[in-house]
Amino acid sequence: MLLISDRMLIRGGRPLTGRVRTQGAKNAALPVMAAALLLKGRRLRLSRVPDLQDIHTMADLLRHLGAEIEFKGGTMTIDVPEELKWETPSDLVRKMRASSLVLGPLVARCGKAVLPLPGGCAIGSRPIDFHLRALTRMGAEIDLEQGSVHARTDGLSATRINFDFPSVGATENILMTAALTEGETTIENAAREPEIVNLAESLRAMGAAIEGDGTGTILVRGKKYLDSAEVTIIPDRIEASTYLLAGVITRGHVRVDGIDPEYLEALTAKLEEAGAPVTASSDSVEVDCRGLNWNGVTLKTLPYPGFPTDVQPQIMAALCLADGTSVIHESVFDSRYMHVGEFRRMGCKIDIQGNTVVIAGVPKVSGAEVHASDLRAGAALILLGLAAEGETVVCSLKHVWRGYENLMGKLRSLGADIELLPDGESGDKFDGAGD
Ligand code: UD1
């Protein structure tokens, strides 16, 4: 029996109304922090860094490798010494799968790296074979010894990499590696996420020449040394999507500020298809669902610019309360439906067929004690709780703290009736990690 760090009590049924400001993107900040390892005796300064558990885990990992880090008020400075350690400790790597983002930078900078192989997690098996194959193609020798990846090289060479799938992490790892490898590396079937563009911008600010980020082909002309730089982290599209869906599921009126509406197009197109009116300005998106007739829709998760898998659990929560049937096909991860069992305990009608779920919309759901299996599943359970009749207790919130800054404050500012309960002993049902 594990002691749970926190639980949230939600008294549901209040429409959420108001405005929230988007945090900096967790999934952009993590690779940009890892990119600091490419520097030698230089400094990387980041602004709009969200204050999240995962960010602290990455900071601890970089400190372990030798970096000095200050983090205050959203600004982080990372001072990287001339000499770095290249062995990563398994306790930190196991906490967060994004730790594997230091592999490429360490190999490029130190000529060697040891990384405990991340295992599967609550959302799928998540191997890193694309990362390893691409590093091998660039000239790294890779062995697996006692569950850890041991990589070494006498010198990497620029080459052509063609990914089987546009993996976000593999694209980031190779982009960083190529930035410190002299010559021209081409990455084909690259991921096109805005977070990749933010990383490329950071590497350009450090002196690398990169073209094509945001498309499927990225061209990198790497440099022998990279220089100090200042970088601003882009807004978090997954956090913004979660608050918009809080407006939808409670039939409220929510505006999210400080977000580029283009990042949310796959979501806002679905919201409009389902009947939710969306208004966008140059840096805000708003949904007004008061008196809304919200209909079921069909959607498929895909790499960007398709519908994000990291919003799948949250939109599923909202679709459980739609009129009619919805179908969701998860095509990015192989088992991202662990939240479904908890949803059913609140009265949702969901049938799982392989990677597809069929949802029969219900007019209401009821409060229950439910457990977060991972970060976005936790967010989705909170959304359901906000819409449910009666009281919901969401347990295992430790997953949620990994991705949502000031979640309590932001939800309360929208009118949510929520409170944190003292630590309980109800057991952690899942050993999740999630994104
Ligand atoms: C990143 C995001 C995560 C998001 C995911 C997909 C970060 C820190 N995390 O995770 O929030 O859910 O993108 O948008 O940015 N795959 C392989 N072999 C590999 C690499 C990936 O088979 O070497 C598979 C994965 O198992 C998965 C799919 O490819 O099924 C997508 O994974 P990937 O895009 O790499 O996701 P992450 O970078 O881990």
Side-chain angles (χ1 to χ4, degrees):
M1 188 76 81
L2 281 175
L3 273 183
I4 300 178
S5 53
D6 349 274
R7 299 174 297 151
M8 187 192 291
L9 170 67
I10 306 169
R11 293 182 194 89
R14 296 161 68 108
L16 297 200
T17 305
R19 293 161 69 158
V20 286
R21 191 160 183 80
T22 315
Q23 70 190 28
K26 165 179 92 69
N27 287 355
L30 292 171
V32 174
M33 287 171 72
L37 294 174
L38 297 167
L39 299 174
K40 200 170 191 175
R42 295 282 186 274
R43 166 179 287 187
L44 187 63
R45 190 163 191 273
L46 317 181
S47 45
R48 204 176 179 176
V49 179
D51 190 355
L52 299 170
Q53 197 50 56
D54 275 9
I55 297 296
H56 289 282
T57 302
M58 181 60 91
D60 286 345
L61 181 54
L62 299 187
R63 282 190 187 106
H64 170 92
L65 295 168
E68 279 180 26
I69 300 185
E70 273 186 32
F71 183 29
K72 207 173 172 192
T75 299
M76 180 179 283
T77 50
I78 309 177
D79 284 293
V80 189
E82 297 277 333
E83 296 298 325
L84 280 178
K85 287 190 196 146
W86 61 85
E87 288 190 55
T88 57
S90 70
D91 56 333
L92 289 175
V93 174
R94 288 187 73 84
K95 262 193 196 170
M96 181 180 70
R97 296 186 49 82
S99 307
S100 57
L101 291 170
V102 302
L103 181 63
L106 285 178
V107 176
R109 165 75 152 75
C110 308
K112 49 191 159 185
V114 177
L115 180 89
L117 199 59
C121 72
I123 63 177
S125 55
R126 304 186 79 180
I128 58 165
D129 52 326
F130 303 157
H131 309 229
L132 301 183
R133 272 209 297 277
L135 284 172
T136 305
R137 242 184 102 70
M138 292 184 77
E141 277 175 43
I142 301 213
D143 294 304
L144 193 61
E145 291 168 24
Q146 296 192 318
S148 291
V149 173
H150 289 245
R152 60 189 76 81
T153 182
D154 293 330
L156 296 171
S157 331
T159 182
R160 200 176 186 83
I161 308 287
N162 198 322
F163 287 122
D164 291 347
F165 180 87
S167 152
V168 174
T171 303
E172 291 168 343
N173 238 330
I174 298 310
L175 193 51
M176 292 186 274
T177 309
L180 202 65
T181 302
E182 287 178 285
E184 194 169 287
T185 296
T186 307
I187 310 174
E188 297 284 6
N189 202 18
R192 295 154 64 186
E193 271 70 3
E195 293 75 19
I196 303 278
V197 176
N198 203 192
L199 175 62
E201 278 164 2
S202 312
L203 296 169
R204 273 193 288 269
M206 290 158 72
I210 300 174
E211 287 167 30
D213 42 300
T215 77
T217 303
I218 307 180
L219 213 82
V220 187
R221 275 182 295 277
K223 295 276 155 50
K224 195 167 180 190
Y225 296 102
L226 295 171
D227 214 340
S228 296
E230 296 198 7
V231 173
T232 301
I233 299 302
I234 59 169
D236 194 314
R237 60 198 169 93
I238 309 303
E239 190 215 17
S241 303
T242 305
Y243 286 110
L244 287 177
L245 285 163
V248 172
I249 198 170
T250 60
R251 306 296 185 263
H253 182 185
V254 169
R255 174 168 150 172
V256 178
D257 290 321
I259 182 76
D260 182 342
E262 202 184 316
Y263 293 172
L264 303 185
E265 264 175 19
L267 171 67
T268 51
K270 275 298 155 196
L271 294 184
E272 284 175 334
E273 190 186 325
V278 178
T279 316
S281 76
S282 58
D283 76 338
S284 73
V285 178
E286 176 173 351
V287 278
D288 183 355
C289 299
R290 291 168 294 182
L292 173 73
N293 192 19
W294 162 251
N295 300 309
V297 288
T298 291
L299 67 93
K300 181 176 182 177
T301 64
L302 286 167
Y304 189 85
F307 193 94
T309 174
D310 289 349
V311 184
Q312 179 257 102
Q314 301 92 309
I315 198 164
M316 186 189 293
L319 290 173
C320 286
L321 286 159
D323 281 344
T325 303
S326 299
V327 177
I328 298 180
H329 181 73
E330 171 61 58
S331 87
V332 178
F333 287 108
D334 55 16
S335 64
R336 198 169 191 170
Y337 289 138
M338 277 181 79
H339 46 282
V340 167
E342 303 298 289
F343 277 31
R344 286 186 185 132
R345 301 183 66 235
M346 296 181 72
C348 298
K349 298 255 178 294
I350 306 171
D351 186 25
I352 306 184
Q353 296 160 7
N355 277 341
T356 302
V357 293
V358 180
I359 304 161
V362 292
K364 64 181 176 69
V365 289
S366 356
E369 182 176 295
V370 286
H371 290 248
S373 51
D374 69 77
L375 165 54
R376 307 303 169 188
L381 287 168
I382 291 171
L383 297 189
L384 268 184
L386 290 168
E389 279 186 354
E391 293 188 347
T392 296
V393 176
V394 181
C395 303
S396 307
L397 279 182
K398 64 174 190 206
H399 300 302
V400 178
W401 303 143
R402 293 184 39 232
Y404 292 91
E405 186 181 53
N406 188 22
L407 177 72
M408 296 297 288
K410 286 184 177 180
L411 285 176
R412 280 190 177 133
S413 77
L414 296 173
D417 186 353
I418 51 178
E419 63 186 89
L420 287 180
L421 297 175
D423 289 349
E425 234 191 299
S426 39
D428 196 357
K429 273 176 67 171
F430 303 99
D431 181 22
D435 55 298

